Amino acid sequence: MTAAIRETSKTATTRRAALGLLGGAMLLGASGKVLAASGAAKDEDVLNEAAVLRDPDIPAAGNPKGDITIVEYFDYQCPYCRKIAPDLRALVKEDGKVRLVSKDWPILGPVSVYAARLVLAARYQNKFIEAQEALISLDTKLTEAIARDRLAKAGIDVDRAVADLQKNQDAIVAKLKQIDEQATAFGFNGTPSFIVGKFRIPGPITKEQFVLAIADARKAAAAKK
């Protein structure tokens, strides 16, 4: 966590101050194309509004018809991702009008990649969100065996998930590659990183700061109408 974020958690009193210290910046242009941290338009196949905010391969938690989307790039082994997960999900529930799109960005080693692939495979039995929730709530070291055990306890047919992973391996690998390209183009250097509406937040923040970011995202959206 950066010094700026630590300071913000103590002193931010306005939306503008919070987003400014966090590095928040508009990222979606009027055309719907995404602008990365540098402001340059990127590959439309990967970085457009539909691919980032409304990826049909990544089911949304929260309110699927919400007016604001939060996109989270995370890794199941990331301690900050695990720590922030309960507050983020509580906020989404309390707000009632937020779509939460959690994208597996497995950057912390082979076990993370294995878990992310298995979770994406669970989508073929309509258990994607349940699988993500089971692994992000881990309170122990992630291993392949633990991933399978926790998924089974969450009601996922693990044998089927393994079979679906093998059957759809190319598509799953391609999806993780797309997610990695998105995160890299946005200039994210680690997990968790977020997009809130049309703002980028490159690092962990508090529940209170999410509230501010959501309010600013709504204000920005209203200003464009």
Side-chain angles (χ1 to χ4, degrees):
M1 187 180 296
T2 66
I5 292 174
R6 285 198 299 268
E7 182 66 18
T8 301
S9 67
K10 297 177 182 178
T11 65
T13 57
T14 67
R15 298 186 184 102
R16 181 175 297 178
L19 282 175
L21 288 173
L22 292 169
M26 290 297 290
L27 62 91
L28 288 173
S31 67
K33 291 184 179 180
V34 175
L35 305 181
S38 64
K42 299 296 181 180
D43 186 350
E44 188 173 354
D45 290 336
V46 175
L47 292 184
N48 58 44
E49 184 167 353
V52 174
L53 302 182
R54 300 186 180 277
D55 187 334
D57 295 324
I58 308 293
N63 184 345
K65 297 182 179 180
D67 63 337
I68 291 296
T69 298
I70 295 178
V71 181
E72 174 189 22
Y73 294 86
F74 75 103
D75 187 302
Y76 296 111
Q77 294 194 89
C78 165
Y80 293 114
C81 300
R82 292 185 183 185
K83 182 177 181 181
I84 205 172
D87 281 346
L88 176 57
R89 281 145 183 81
L91 172 61
V92 168
K93 183 177 180 179
E94 291 164 9
D95 182 282
K97 296 185 292 183
V98 174
R99 300 173 67 252
L100 176 61
V101 179
S102 297
K103 298 194 177 188
D104 291 87
W105 187 26
I107 58 175
L108 297 178
V111 174
S112 294
V113 173
Y114 176 84
R117 289 180 177 180
L118 205 56
V119 167
L120 283 168
R123 182 173 62 87
Y124 295 95
Q125 54 184 288
N126 296 317
K127 294 286 186 177
F128 176 78
I129 293 176
E130 293 87 344
Q132 282 192 329
E133 295 293 341
L135 297 190
I136 198 60
S137 62
L138 279 175
D139 57 0
T140 187
K141 181 179 180 180
L142 178 65
T143 66
E144 292 185 7
I146 286 177
R148 292 191 297 269
D149 177 69
R150 292 300 176 92
L151 291 179
K153 289 179 178 177
I156 286 87
D157 183 337
V158 176
D159 289 339
R160 177 179 172 182
V162 170
D164 284 335
L165 173 56
Q166 294 173 345
K167 180 180 179 181
N168 301 283
Q169 181 169 318
D170 289 347
I172 289 172
V173 169
K175 179 54 58 179
L176 290 176
K177 181 175 183 292
Q178 180 194 51
I179 292 170
D180 178 68
E181 289 174 347
Q182 287 179 3
T184 300
F186 290 140
F188 295 148
N189 294 315
T191 55
S193 292
F194 303 92
I195 296 165
V196 179
K198 297 186 178 183
F199 293 92
R200 60 184 290 275
I201 299 177
I205 60 174
T206 65
K207 183 179 179 181
E208 291 75 18
Q209 289 166 343
F210 270 119
V211 171
L212 297 177
I214 290 168
D216 261 338
R218 287 192 171 120
K219 182 178 179 181
K224 290 184 174 295
K225 291 182 179 179

